[in-house]
Amino acid sequence: MSKNSILLIDPNFEPANSTNLSLLVKIGADTFSYAIIDSERKFVHAVYDEQECESGYEKLKERLKSDAYLKLSYQNVKIAANTQNIVFVPQELFNEAEVALYTKFFADMDSSNVYVQPSWQQTIHTIFSLPQSLEKVINENWNHSTKLQENAGLFELAQQVTSDSILVDFTVGSFQLFYISGGKIAFTQHYQFEDVEELTYYILLIVNQLNIDARHILVKTCGIIHEGDDKWNMLTQYFNSVALLENSSDLDTTILDDMPAHYYTSLLSLQQCG
């Protein structure tokens, strides 16, 4: 495995029982991770995570050649993938009969399938497509998988927040931000950054452009961040209320006891997606 990767496995995990389990896969621009869970028993059997990949897509193909756990047969598979072809449409503006119209906002048209992902609260529909090369790999290995956009899990968590808040999910060199205002997602965007100075620039730009009152808004953060590191110190410098966001489901995550629980919030929250 790479020096930037980690694999945590329940010692009692039996690969032969995989047909009763679920596989959650998250493919980022620069990350790759997956979890094996028992949805009925609410138990996490395995978590794999790799940061600072040159390409999440290429890492998927590499892991499929060497990782026996990815080749098992599962009861269901959910694949959440990074894509430039994505549009968020409020429920009041969504027309199921005219989905093709939304694709004109895509970055490119290198895909034959367009997916519509309704949110848990049915307030926003996510319209997206995946690159053909990625779609081909997914279909060859998980033909009946549910395809989602990369941050679908965090998207669901964001819509369960009732107070005005900012949710930030970090990788080593990127972050996804959600701004919740009036009980609805008012803004979401993904950014890559080289250092804390560039991160600070993006955060302050968002705060200024959206007229966010940094003194009174709650910031919840997850992913690769620690209390006291440069990212955390930057957030606490500009916001009065900053807290870690851990997975709120009833999953038994015993295998993660020696790891920061908030590392895998967005991965494990994919369980909540349809």
Side-chain angles (χ1 to χ4, degrees), residues 62-86:
E62 177 186 315
R63 295 303 304 171
L64 281 167
K65 295 176 182 177
S66 60
D67 192 330
Y69 295 119
L70 287 176
K71 303 298 288 186
L72 297 174
S73 296
Y74 291 95
Q75 185 177 61
N76 61 74
V77 179
K78 296 177 182 178
I79 313 272
N82 174 269
T83 176
Q84 297 299 309
N85 293 340
I86 186 167

Side-chain angles (χ1 to χ4, degrees), residues 201-229:
Y201 167 79
Y202 285 129
I203 293 295
L204 294 182
L205 179 66
I206 293 168
V207 167
N208 290 331
Q209 290 193 336
L210 299 180
N211 294 315
I212 296 173
D213 185 349
R215 297 168 300 171
H216 298 107
I217 194 145
L218 172 62
V219 177
K220 294 184 177 182
T221 183
C222 61
I224 309 303
I225 184 172
H226 302 273
E227 292 186 8
D229 70 8

